[in-house]
Amino acid sequence: MYDTFEMLEELLEQQQFELLIEENKIRLVYLMNDAVESFLIFDKVRLTGNYLEGYEGPLKSSLSEEDDQYVLSVWQGENVVTLFFENLDLEVYLYNYGEIGHFWVPGYEYLRQLEYRIAIARDKLEYLGEEFCTEEEEKLVQLADFPPLNYCCYPAVPAKYIVPKEEPWVPSEAAFETMEELAEEVKDRSLLRLLAFYKRFPKPVIARLVAGALHQNRHTAVIDLLTEKLKKEAAVYPNRSFGEKADQQLNSLLEKARMLQQNLAEQGVKAEVLREEPFTTARDSLDFQVFLMIWKKGWRNRKVEIKKLTEKM
């Protein structure tokens, strides 16, 4: 079970304090990514001082209990904001992330999408717990600790946005088990032999060797299986909704992409429709982007071409 006050302490230790102030509600952003939007809700809250929206400097904070209520004071530099509240609740919205695409780093984009989806689902598990994940998700996200597929080899975001972790090149036993199960399911014997060698010698140079193998045509079935499993699990959650008008505009753009996808399929070319969308809360604009990820088959390596359809909402 989650403890909202531990969550609050965790945020403040990470120097995170983003309030969403509405007429009858004050929320503190907890975990926000394409898979989940979650908030800590201050019950029967009263705020004093001026909250500096967009502040990015150092924070100091204190939490105390006085007269049957909690008092949270946060210093944003010299500015202080104080919240008086009676309880702290958690509000969570889960979303389908299996068709989300971000193409911030070029090259083998389909592997970078896998890295991204695994990473955000892993964050959901670590920050919110098992009740917010399916059993299959819990297994697949172990690949966040598999260097040939995680940010060590296929980062989805530029290096300046990567949060480093201790010993990132050390694979976990659970990650090996998950990858071996995938290879066994598609009967990829050569990959199983390579994984056994990597398991015996878990060094960065061998991890890079495995990473190189994952984009080869002969290991296509393993990557496709992993992609489909992640998409299947993500699809148990709803798509975001931005209101009737915006949803209609987004669906119109998606339909255009699907028509292009169908035209390519008739030519024997595989393409995948992906989208980039804002959060339902704390958004600046409704700027949707829809992509076609078109598969290319080289003589040895598998690649993709990315085509973007955009429309300002």
Side-chain angles (χ1 to χ4, degrees):
M1 290 294 294
Y2 53 81
D3 184 319
T4 52
F5 284 89
E6 285 186 2
M7 291 176 167
L8 174 61
E9 182 179 359
E10 179 182 27
L11 282 179
L12 295 173
E13 286 179 351
Q14 295 175 356
Q15 297 283 290
Q16 300 294 320
F17 185 71
E18 181 181 351
L19 291 179
L20 301 180
I21 302 175
E22 302 163 13
E23 185 175 353
N24 298 312
K25 195 176 193 179
I26 297 180
R27 297 186 285 179
L28 177 64
V29 173
Y30 183 60
L31 175 64
M32 296 274 281
N33 63 33
D34 283 305
V36 59
E37 297 180 26
S38 61
F39 313 89
L40 296 176
I41 312 298
F42 297 97
D43 183 41
K44 297 181 181 177
V45 64
R46 177 169 58 90
L47 182 149
T48 64
N50 295 314
Y51 169 66
L52 301 180
E53 185 176 348
Y55 175 80
E56 296 182 354
L59 297 174
K60 292 191 301 181
S61 63
S62 70
L63 178 65
S64 59
E65 190 172 0
E66 301 175 8
D67 300 325
D68 298 324
Q69 68 176 351
Y70 297 96
V71 181
L72 172 64
S73 295
V74 178
W75 286 263
Q76 299 173 297
E78 298 298 320
N79 181 74
V80 62
V81 57
T82 301
L83 296 100
F84 302 84
F85 60 99
E86 293 189 7
N87 203 0
L88 191 60
D89 299 317
L90 177 66
E91 185 176 89
V92 178
Y93 302 94
L94 304 176
Y95 296 105
N96 179 2
Y97 57 92
E99 296 178 344
I100 299 296
H102 297 291
F103 302 98
W104 297 310
V105 182
Y108 301 109
E109 288 88 346
Y110 63 99
L111 292 173
R112 300 186 194 280
Q113 301 316 301
L114 278 177
E115 188 275 328
Y116 178 76
R117 292 170 192 167
I118 290 167
I120 62 174
R122 174 64 169 269
D123 283 346
K124 179 175 66 167
L125 176 62
E126 290 190 341
Y127 280 82
L128 294 171
E130 296 177 358
E131 71 176 279
F132 296 98
C133 297
T134 68
E135 288 186 14
E136 186 69 9
E137 273 183 303
E138 290 181 50
K139 179 190 296 184
L140 295 175
V141 301
Q142 301 308 315
L143 292 174
D145 295 323
F146 190 66
L149 198 55
N150 69 16
Y151 73 81
C152 289
C153 294
Y154 292 107
V157 300
K160 64 180 179 179
Y161 296 115
I162 292 175
V163 179
K165 62 180 182 180
E166 292 185 12
E167 300 182 330
W169 286 98
V170 178
S172 70
E173 183 64 31
F176 269 121
E177 289 179 5
T178 299
M179 202 67 202
E180 287 167 346
E181 286 180 12
L182 292 168
E184 287 172 355
E185 192 168 340
V186 297
K187 297 180 172 57
D188 190 335
R189 304 304 179 197
S190 64
L191 182 58
L192 282 168
R193 290 192 294 271
L194 186 55
L195 290 173
F197 181 69
Y198 179 36
K199 198 170 186 178
R200 186 178 177 186
F201 303 102
K203 305 296 183 182
V205 63
I206 309 301
R208 293 188 181 96
L209 180 66
V210 177
L214 292 179
H215 61 64
Q216 293 176 2
N217 293 325
R218 61 177 176 166
H219 302 303
T220 292
V222 172
I223 297 303
D224 286 352
L225 177 63
L226 174 56
T227 300
E228 290 307 311
K229 282 181 178 289
L230 272 172
K231 289 182 66 174
K232 179 181 177 181
E233 297 310 306
V236 305
Y237 308 111
N239 292 331
R240 283 177 170 85
S241 177
F242 303 93
E244 183 177 355
K245 182 179 179 180
D247 288 349
Q248 288 177 350
Q249 291 174 315
L250 174 58
N251 288 333
S252 175
L253 192 57
L254 287 169
E255 186 58 33
K256 291 178 183 178
R258 293 188 183 109
M259 290 178 63
L260 292 173
Q261 180 188 37
Q262 181 60 36
N263 291 338
L264 289 169
E266 292 172 358
Q267 302 171 39
V269 178
K270 177 184 175 182
E272 187 176 351
V273 177
L274 300 172
R275 67 184 183 278
E276 185 177 287
E277 61 191 20
F279 297 133
T280 60
T281 55
R283 63 174 183 251
D284 296 325
S285 65
L286 286 178
D287 189 7
F288 299 103
Q289 296 188 80
V290 173
F291 304 89
L292 270 179
M293 188 163 67
I294 304 168
W295 298 88
K296 303 289 184 178
K297 187 175 181 179
W299 69 273
R300 182 182 181 185
N301 295 328
R302 195 184 198 195
K303 298 181 181 180
V304 291
E305 175 188 349
I306 307 301
K307 288 191 174 182
K308 181 172 71 174
L309 293 81
T310 61
E311 182 174 330
K312 191 78 172 181
M313 303 296 180

